[in-house]
Amino acid sequence: MEVIITADPSSASRVAARRIARLVRTKPDAVLGLATGSTPVGLYTELIRMHREEGLDFSSVRTFNLDEYLGLAPDYPASYHRFMEENFFRGVNIPRENILLPNGLASDVPAHCGAYEQEIREAGGIDLQILGIGSDGHIGFNEPGSSLASRTRIKTLTPSTRQDNARFFNKPEDVPYHVITMGIGTIMESRSIVLLAFGAGKSMAVAGAVEGALSASNPASILQLHPDAKIYLDEHASSDLKRVDYYKWVFQNKPAWQADS
Ligand code: PGA
């Protein structure tokens, strides 16, 4: 686990975008795992800029999103399909047929979840998974208590997550109770992980994930077992970490060949 602390979210987003761009340049048919929420918006904006200004080519990239609300149609304003379209897909050149999100209108949810896992396997697995973290430590929508070996399935949101996400809906009561999310086991099979967290509201969850005990009570703590997980934070999100000075020291003293991560 590598912790990268930058002055602000836009610096963190730029550093994380460089890492993703490097992957896409060296492996043009990379499989990306994508996340929604406020946190990755700056990262997507930077990738769009790189596409437009630096020719970063996504034409062979495939993507799988982490999650979707159950019951929401793809064009519903707060659906994650719509979020991805507006914040990323319309700005880059990923072919439509290479984009997959869980279907919020699936009639047979377990069958749909099994098929989603199969699609990921047939694509050769996910090369790099982008993650945010909930203020309760969730990754994807794997709420505290989720099996650390879980696969794509239905989950029931906690009241606090419904409240956190109410800002995307017209009325708080419009937030669905159920979602389809990749499982923690699914996420852990990704060959590398890029987790971003910004703001003081995430500092406790981040501290638990990075320096706390490995526990389903903080699902992001499973990343301690991942061989290639990088955690990009702004100062506020890092404020409850004990080893901040060491993480900054590591970043400042990287060997040249490692510097662009
Ligand atoms: P946020 O959500 O980026 O909107 O804070 C993160 C998450 O819930 O994973």
Side-chain angles (χ1 to χ4, degrees):
M1 202 178 230
E2 183 180 348
V3 180
I4 297 147
I5 301 166
T6 61
D8 50 45
S10 54
S11 318
S13 300
R14 276 198 302 276
V15 181
R18 276 209 299 276
R19 166 148 172 73
I20 293 162
R22 203 173 58 242
L23 169 67
V24 171
R25 287 195 177 104
T26 53
K27 186 177 182 192
D29 60 350
V31 180
L32 300 180
L34 302 179
T36 50
S38 306
T39 308
V41 171
L43 168 66
Y44 294 142
T45 304
E46 178 62 8
L47 289 172
I48 291 169
R49 188 199 65 73
M50 289 171 148
H51 169 64
R52 291 194 178 140
E53 296 176 12
E54 298 171 11
L56 184 61
D57 179 18
F58 291 87
S59 62
S60 299
V61 165
R62 295 198 56 174
T63 69
F64 290 91
N65 262 80
L66 282 169
D67 43 23
E68 179 58 286
Y69 293 105
L70 257 181
L72 298 194
D75 60 349
Y76 186 88
S79 79
Y80 285 163
H81 279 76
R82 182 88 172 257
F83 174 96
M84 289 308 303
E85 181 56 36
E86 289 174 359
N87 289 286
F88 189 45
F89 296 146
R90 70 165 58 152
V92 292
N93 62 333
I94 305 173
R96 288 285 123 187
E97 63 274 19
N98 287 10
I99 292 171
L100 211 59
L101 292 87
N103 178 3
L105 298 181
S107 51
D108 182 342
V109 172
H112 177 65
C113 294
Y116 199 71
E117 290 273 338
Q118 183 63 22
E119 293 271 7
I120 294 173
R121 273 194 296 277
E122 283 170 12
I126 293 171
D127 290 303
L128 185 148
Q129 176 66 55
I130 299 166
L131 295 175
I133 181 171
S135 54
D136 60 4
H138 70 222
I139 48 176
F141 268 135
N142 295 284
E143 298 284 31
S146 290
S147 161
L148 296 177
S150 50
R151 312 302 305 189
T152 303
R153 70 212 182 291
I154 185 173
K155 281 297 285 183
T156 306
L157 297 179
T158 61
S160 74
T161 298
R162 286 189 72 240
Q163 201 176 322
D164 282 350
N165 289 5
R167 68 189 190 280
F168 295 109
F169 291 78
N170 285 335
K171 305 193 293 295
E173 52 276 26
D174 289 348
V175 184
Y177 286 79
H178 296 109
V179 295
I180 295 174
T181 181
M182 278 187 207
I184 296 176
T186 322
I187 292 169
M188 285 295 285
E189 281 173 12
S190 171
R191 286 183 269 281
S192 49
I193 302 273
V194 163
L195 183 147
L196 300 111
F198 307 136
K202 301 290 174 72
S203 66
M204 294 293 289
V206 166
V210 175
E211 296 177 343
L214 189 114
S215 166
S217 295
N218 182 329
S221 66
I222 190 70
L223 299 178
Q224 294 174 26
L225 287 179
H226 197 285
D228 182 13
K230 293 189 196 300
I231 317 293
Y232 297 81
L233 308 173
D234 69 351
E235 294 281 352
H236 297 294
S238 71
S239 58
D240 282 303
L241 288 169
K242 294 195 179 66
R243 291 190 290 271
V244 165
D245 291 344
Y246 179 62
Y247 305 135
K248 290 185 175 174
W249 171 261
V250 169
F251 193 66
Q252 284 155 8
N253 291 289
K254 280 192 176 207
W257 60 269
Q258 260 195 344
D260 195 26
S261 61

